[in-house]
């Protein structure tokens, strides 16, 4: 006979021992050191592999084995998948002009998954700065930076196309009018039903995605605990999101728009979607600036201006250190404006390797009771689990939240975490570009003659798009 489950109220709160009970023995310490050391050796071997691939590809030696490209040769000769082969060949080509990132990979300090997105956006002028800053970045942050740069390139291309389109319109040449990014993204929206799997595949624009996510996550958060109707007392997060989605449909069903229980009443409270945008973009003074939806990523200028039409706009004036947002000892809880900026800086839990972006808390690194200040450099985002670990399970946090934080566990192993590379005060690429622009303008003023047009590359990248 199956054993009866104890009532929910009689169950212990923890289902397993806390994390500080694991990994403290000598064997676990040895294994942890070996895993990290082998990872560094793998990165160093991959750097040698990429150097050989670059040389082999430059000579087009793969043609002698009947391959149609270097990627095809790597797939056939090395027995790897297409994605791995593409990663190797693309990184091999990019790293030829980036000695600092290549050195980071060769020394084992950086992994190939971290170097690959950085190499796509790096240039010889920003190579050293990226190598120094990326020592504390995660792969997710490197990909955020790459996405930010792609958005900036698209914005610049859109601004140029708009100027060309305006000139073409004056001339009456409609064939030169360009299609904008927002329109292309809108045309890719789709929803498909799969009857055999009872599943729905949904791809939407970035602002619609942020709206759906904010509505569902907000409703789950508002429950403040498990639903009372649940018989076992625990529902996984993904199933709770599903339940909320179905409740939304059920609230709409059976009522006409505007009737009680219908669409109008179910959407009386608008979900909160945060968009960060430079003032010059909203004012129409610039079309090549980059804006982003919090938790989603960069969006085009057209989308931001459309969203701002009926949105609540908060104007924040920034200084390089963010001190304008400091509260000191005036209050314990962060202000709403501080929370928005902290979300923008951390983009989720700052604990090393954690990807949680919902159900987070703002934590004082130096506790308020111990004299800690309510300033950005003393406030960090932590998820429920890691917030409890810091307060109850022996973890320590040291450093500046605007810079590098060090998390030290009960067994004295440590890891580091840095702000999002796209956060304005921390972006080394923006600083490098500003310095390069200043140097270029100074050189141009000193030498009015324009630089000669560079010769086209006789051997463009045969395995992907041309490098900029």
């Amino acid at each position: 006979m199956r054993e009866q489950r104890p009532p929910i109220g009689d169950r212990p709160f923890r289902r397993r021992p806390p994390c500080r009970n694991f990994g403290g023995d000598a064997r676990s310490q040895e294994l942890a050191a070996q895993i990290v050391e082998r990872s560094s050796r793998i990165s160093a071997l991959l750097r040698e592999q990429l150097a050989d691939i670059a040389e082999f590809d430059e000579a087009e030696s793969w043609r002698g084995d009947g391959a149609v490209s270097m990627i095809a040769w790597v797939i056939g000769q090395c027995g790897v998948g297409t994605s791995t082969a593409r990663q190797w060949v693309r990184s091999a080509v990019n790293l030829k002009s980036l000695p600092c990132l290549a050195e980071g990979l060769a020394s084992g300090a950086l992994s190939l998954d971290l170097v690959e997105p950085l190499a796509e956006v790096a240039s010889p002028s920003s190579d050293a700065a990226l190598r120094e800053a990326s020592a504390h970045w995660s792969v997710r942050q490197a990909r955020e930076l790459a996405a930010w740069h792609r958005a900036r390139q698209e914005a610049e291309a859109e601004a140029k196309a708009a100027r060309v389109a305006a000139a073409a319109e004056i001339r009456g040449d409609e064939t030169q009018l360009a299609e904008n990014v927002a329109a292309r993204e809108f045309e890719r929206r789709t929803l498909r039903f799969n009857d055999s799997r009872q599943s729905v595949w949904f791809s939407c624009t970035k602002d619609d995605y942020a709206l759906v996510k904010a509505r569902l996550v907000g409703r789950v958060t508002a429950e403040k605990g498990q639903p009372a109707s649940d018989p076992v007392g625990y529902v996984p997060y993904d199933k709770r999101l599903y339940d909320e989605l179905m409740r939304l449909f059920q609230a709409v069903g059976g009522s006409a728009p505007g009737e009680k229980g219908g669409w109008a009443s179910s959407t009386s409270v608008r979900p909160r979607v945060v968009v960060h945008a430079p003032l010059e973009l909203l004012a129409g003074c610039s079309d090549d600036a980059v804006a982003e939806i919090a938790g989603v990523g960069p969006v085009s200028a057209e989308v931001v201006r459309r969203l701002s039409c009926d949105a609540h706009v908060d104007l924040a004036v920034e200084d390089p250190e963010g001190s304008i947002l400091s509260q000191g000892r005036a209050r314990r809880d962060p202000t709403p404006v501080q929370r928005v900026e902290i979300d923008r800086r951390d983009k989720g839990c700052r604990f090393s390797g954690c990807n949680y972006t919902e159900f987070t808390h703002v934590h004082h690194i130096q506790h308020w009771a111990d004299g800690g200040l309510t300033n950005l450099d003393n406030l960090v985002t932590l998820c429920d689990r890691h917030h409890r670990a810091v307060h109850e399970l022996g973890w320590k946090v040291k450093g500046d939240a605007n810079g590098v934080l060090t998390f030290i566990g009960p067994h004295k192993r440590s890891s580091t975490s840095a702000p999002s590379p796209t956060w304005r005060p921390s972006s080394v690429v923006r600083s490098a570009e500003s310095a390069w622009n200043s140097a270029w303008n100074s050189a141009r003023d000193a030498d009015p003659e324009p630089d000669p047009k560079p010769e086209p590359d006789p051997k463009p990248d045969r395995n992907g798009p041309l490098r900029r």
Side-chain angles (χ1 to χ4, degrees), residues 13-14 16-22 351 363 367 382-397 407-413:
F13 178 72
R14 298 187 187 279
R16 60 184 180 184
C19 62
R20 61 185 170 199
N21 292 5
F22 297 90
F351 193 90
H363 170 73
H367 299 320
L382 295 176
C383 66
D384 283 339
R385 179 185 185 129
H386 291 123
H387 196 208
R388 186 180 297 112
V390 169
H391 279 283
E392 302 173 13
L393 302 181
W395 284 83
K396 305 295 181 185
V397 187
F407 292 85
I408 305 171
H411 308 307
K412 307 306 178 185
R413 287 195 293 270

Side-chain angles (χ1 to χ4, degrees), residues 291-413:
E292 65 173 349
I293 298 178
V296 176
V299 291
S300 65
E302 292 81 2
V303 171
V304 174
R305 288 170 185 154
R306 172 171 57 81
L307 294 176
S308 66
C309 284
D310 61 345
H312 179 74
V313 178
D314 289 322
L315 182 63
V317 181
E318 300 176 347
D319 71 348
E321 304 299 328
S323 59
I324 195 169
L325 299 177
S326 299
Q327 296 295 318
R329 296 288 296 176
R331 57 182 292 159
R332 177 171 183 166
D333 295 332
T335 66
V337 176
Q338 280 183 314
R339 290 180 182 274
V340 169
E341 189 66 14
I342 292 168
D343 288 342
R344 181 186 182 189
R345 180 195 67 193
D346 295 342
K347 288 183 168 62
C349 180
R350 277 284 293 275
F351 193 90
S352 235
C354 183
N355 292 322
Y356 275 85
T357 56
E358 282 84 44
F359 309 109
T360 57
H361 307 274
V362 176
H363 170 73
H364 284 75
I365 298 173
Q366 181 184 3
H367 299 320
W368 173 267
D370 298 332
L373 305 178
T374 307
N375 297 342
L376 290 187
D377 58 0
N378 193 47
L379 299 172
V380 63
T381 305
L382 295 176
C383 66
D384 283 339
R385 179 185 185 129
H386 291 123
H387 196 208
R388 186 180 297 112
V390 169
H391 279 283
E392 302 173 13
L393 302 181
W395 284 83
K396 305 295 181 185
V397 187
K398 296 183 178 180
D400 181 348
N402 291 338
V404 177
L405 287 177
T406 302
F407 292 85
I408 305 171
H411 308 307
K412 307 306 178 185
R413 287 195 293 270

Side-chain angles (χ1 to χ4, degrees), residues 116-260:
E116 180 194 16
L118 297 179
E120 290 181 6
V121 301
S123 63
S125 61
S126 63
D127 179 35
L130 276 175
R131 165 66 182 92
E132 180 180 358
S134 60
H136 306 289
W137 288 351
S138 65
V139 175
R140 185 187 69 173
Q141 289 178 315
R143 290 172 178 167
E144 285 176 1
L145 181 65
W148 185 88
H149 270 268
R150 286 193 293 270
R152 181 172 183 177
Q153 290 175 357
E154 289 177 355
E156 291 173 351
E158 283 295 310
K160 182 177 180 181
R163 292 192 293 269
V164 172
E169 196 171 11
I170 293 174
R171 296 194 307 268
D173 184 6
E174 296 183 357
T175 61
Q176 297 294 323
L177 297 178
E179 185 182 19
N180 66 65
V181 174
R184 291 196 300 270
E185 182 184 357
F186 184 71
E187 287 301 319
R188 287 195 293 266
R189 73 196 189 282
T190 183
L191 189 150
R192 301 173 187 170
F193 292 99
N194 188 320
D195 295 340
S196 62
R197 294 179 178 269
Q198 296 85 48
S199 61
V200 180
W201 191 85
F202 180 43
S203 178
C204 49
T205 62
K206 289 183 177 179
D207 56 312
D208 287 342
Y209 172 82
L211 181 69
V212 172
K213 182 178 179 181
R215 168 56 63 89
L216 294 178
V217 172
R219 290 175 67 97
V220 170
T221 306
E223 288 179 358
K224 300 185 183 301
Q226 303 301 326
S229 60
D230 179 53
V232 298
Y234 175 75
V235 180
Y237 176 54
D238 55 339
K239 291 181 174 57
R240 294 173 68 188
L241 289 175
Y242 172 88
D243 293 342
E244 289 302 327
L245 178 63
M246 296 311 299
R247 289 191 186 102
L248 283 176
F249 281 113
Q250 291 163 2
V252 176
S255 300
E259 293 182 1
K260 186 176 182 180

Side-chain angles (χ1 to χ4, degrees), residues 43-180:
S43 295
L45 286 173
L46 279 174
R47 172 57 193 142
E48 296 178 12
Q49 178 87 324
L50 297 185
D52 292 345
I53 287 175
E55 183 177 351
F56 194 82
D57 185 28
E58 188 173 10
E60 299 186 6
S61 300
W62 42 267
R63 295 184 182 275
D65 293 326
V68 297
S69 68
M70 187 64 202
I71 291 178
W73 187 92
V74 171
I75 292 172
Q77 298 295 322
C78 300
V80 298
T82 303
S83 59
T84 300
R86 187 178 292 113
Q87 181 190 47
W88 285 4
V89 174
R90 183 168 55 234
S91 299
V93 173
N94 291 342
L95 287 176
K96 288 193 295 185
S97 59
L98 304 172
C100 295
L101 286 177
E103 179 276 328
L105 183 63
S107 66
L110 306 179
S111 69
L112 181 58
D113 287 338
L114 181 64
V115 168
E116 180 194 16
L118 297 179
E120 290 181 6
V121 301
S123 63
S125 61
S126 63
D127 179 35
L130 276 175
R131 165 66 182 92
E132 180 180 358
S134 60
H136 306 289
W137 288 351
S138 65
V139 175
R140 185 187 69 173
Q141 289 178 315
R143 290 172 178 167
E144 285 176 1
L145 181 65
W148 185 88
H149 270 268
R150 286 193 293 270
R152 181 172 183 177
Q153 290 175 357
E154 289 177 355
E156 291 173 351
E158 283 295 310
K160 182 177 180 181
R163 292 192 293 269
V164 172
E169 196 171 11
I170 293 174
R171 296 194 307 268
D173 184 6
E174 296 183 357
T175 61
Q176 297 294 323
L177 297 178
E179 185 182 19
N180 66 65

